Amino acid sequence: MPAVQLTAVSKSYRRRGRPPQKALDDLDLLVESGGVHGFLGPNGSGKTTTIRVLLGLVSADPGGGEIRLLDQPVPRGLPDVIGSVGALVETPLFFPGFSGRLNLQLLAEAAGVSHARVEECLELVDLSGRADDRFKGYSLGMKQRLGIAAALLKAPRLLILDEPSNGLDPAGIRDVRELIRRLGRDGHTTVLLSSHLLAEIQQVCDSVSILARGRCVASGPVGEVLASRGSGDVLVQIADPTAAAGVLQQAGFSVSPADGALMVHSVATPSDITRVLAGSGLYLEELRRVTPDLESAFLAITGDQPHDGPAAAGTPA
Ligand SMILES: Nc1ncnc2c1ncn2[C@@H]1O[C@H](COP(=O)(O)OP(=O)(O)OP(=O)(O)O)[C@@H](O)[C@H]1O
């Protein structure tokens, strides 16, 4: 069962004295259950709007689109599933003078969740040791982890995190990423992680959907989205690169020297290289496909538009 499914969903924001701002433009999005799914796009591409539409916080434009959250139609079926969804969309509000534990206990009581679950969540986000400290003394990373603990109280099947690394220092970013990876492996929670940080998606996610100008422009396992934009270059390490280059060129490969090794270009089947070289008594030490990082793939996919959405005027960076 897909955790999230949007089909042909559009959303325009009305703006006084100006034409409406189209934030989602016939968006199709599919997030299968399990693991961590990245939702990547430049600022203004429509990530937050998608999350708001999913949670029923804003309504999509009337018309043919369909939204399903944990297999229930949105907004009609939201009351049936919203208890199974945890979300960290904005910086959560906590009482600054209360401890992390007391803040969570208050939320748990309001949601009918046991204090034992509070302890479990503190443990999950690695805050048990600091749970009795006042919230206002927490680092930004700890505040963010407490926010994630709050979103986890109801043991959600779907956890939605909107730019959870924003404003954190490197240590805070590392802790939050480790936590997300852990949650994605628990077999119970599907994590939908929205981010404009390519490295974050690359490090943390199993699959990714890339958004640009309110549309999904690429989707699939992170490795596949990268490979589909692969350069086709293969790096070959071999004892005698000069001899190998001659043999490969004779076999029709395009080859260039690369720092003591060889770069073979536009290779569809890398095993052909092994076969050709072995046929001439040359045995390679290493053969590695050169994949572009997500950044190059991302820029190629979104049309070299890393920062602005359909009309990003007024969009906070
Ligand atoms: N309340 C609003 N009123 C008018 N326009 C809006 C509103 N909210 C968002 N937009 C516009 O809709 C587009 C998509 O914005 P959205 O916040 O969904 O993108 P995003 O990918 O989450 O970007 P960011 O990372 O900057 O939040 C942007 O052009 C933005 O200016």
Side-chain angles (χ1 to χ4, degrees):
M1 176 194 71
V4 167
Q5 195 163 16
L6 277 80
T7 314
V9 173
S10 294
K11 168 69 188 171
S12 301
Y13 290 106
R14 280 195 292 274
R15 299 180 300 177
R16 201 177 303 164
R18 284 191 291 165
Q21 169 68 52
K22 193 151 209 174
L24 303 183
D25 182 10
D26 241 354
L27 175 68
D28 293 330
L29 181 75
L30 179 69
V31 178
E32 293 291 355
S33 294
V36 184
H37 186 86
F39 195 27
L40 176 68
N43 290 132
S45 55
K47 303 180 298 295
T48 303
T49 300
T50 307
I51 291 172
R52 290 178 170 276
V53 162
L54 262 175
L55 297 174
L57 300 173
V58 295
S59 46
D61 293 347
E66 194 189 1
I67 307 164
R68 294 187 81 81
L69 184 61
L70 297 173
D71 220 20
Q72 288 296 320
V74 174
R76 197 163 21 96
L78 266 179
D80 294 334
V81 284
I82 205 69
S84 302
V85 179
L88 184 65
V89 178
E90 269 142 24
T91 315
L93 291 175
F94 291 108
F95 293 107
F98 291 0
S99 68
R101 176 175 278 124
L102 182 54
N103 268 295
L104 284 193
Q105 286 174 341
L106 292 173
L107 288 173
E109 279 162 23
V113 170
S114 71
H115 281 199
R117 177 65 188 160
V118 168
E119 298 308 313
E120 275 174 26
C121 291
L122 285 168
E123 191 70 40
L124 271 172
V125 303
D126 217 7
L127 274 180
S128 297
R130 302 288 303 273
D132 288 323
D133 294 2
R134 287 177 187 213
F135 176 78
K136 66 179 168 198
Y138 283 1
S139 68
L140 275 177
M142 291 165 72
K143 288 177 176 168
Q144 195 68 318
R145 281 187 280 139
L146 191 70
I148 296 177
L152 287 170
L153 279 175
K154 290 182 285 176
R157 284 153 61 203
L158 175 66
L159 177 67
I160 300 178
L161 303 174
D162 192 14
E163 303 272 6
S165 299
N166 268 2
L168 303 189
D169 64 10
I173 290 176
R174 187 201 53 217
D175 291 347
V176 165
R177 287 185 189 166
E178 272 173 22
L179 168 61
I180 296 170
R181 265 200 298 266
R182 258 199 331 269
L183 293 172
R185 280 193 233 112
D186 74 1
H188 169 78
T189 320
T190 304
V191 183
L192 178 59
L193 167 70
S194 134
S195 178
H196 67 283
L197 300 172
L198 312 156
E200 180 155 274
I201 299 287
Q202 211 158 5
Q203 286 170 17
V204 175
C205 297
D206 305 298
S207 54
V208 62
S209 293
I210 299 185
L211 217 69
R213 298 170 289 277
R215 284 174 163 266
C216 180
V217 290
S219 193
V222 172
E224 272 178 31
V225 170
L226 288 181
S228 67
R229 267 83 193 166
S231 61
D233 286 358
V234 172
L235 190 74
V236 174
Q237 296 276 3
I238 194 156
D240 187 347
T242 314
V247 169
L248 288 170
Q249 273 161 348
Q250 230 169 19
F253 287 98
S254 152
V255 181
S256 56
D259 216 4
L262 292 177
M263 191 68 82
V264 190
H265 305 288
S266 309
V267 180
T269 335
S271 57
D272 287 349
I273 297 175
T274 320
R275 187 177 42 77
V276 167
L277 290 175
S280 298
L282 296 168
Y283 298 97
L284 45 80
E285 289 159 7
E286 191 190 342
L287 178 140
R288 181 161 50 85
R289 205 183 247 297
V290 180
T291 26
D293 60 7
L294 195 52
E295 176 134 29
S296 343
F298 176 73
L299 292 179
I301 292 165
T302 58
D304 201 8
Q305 195 212 23
H307 291 301
D308 296 307
T315 312

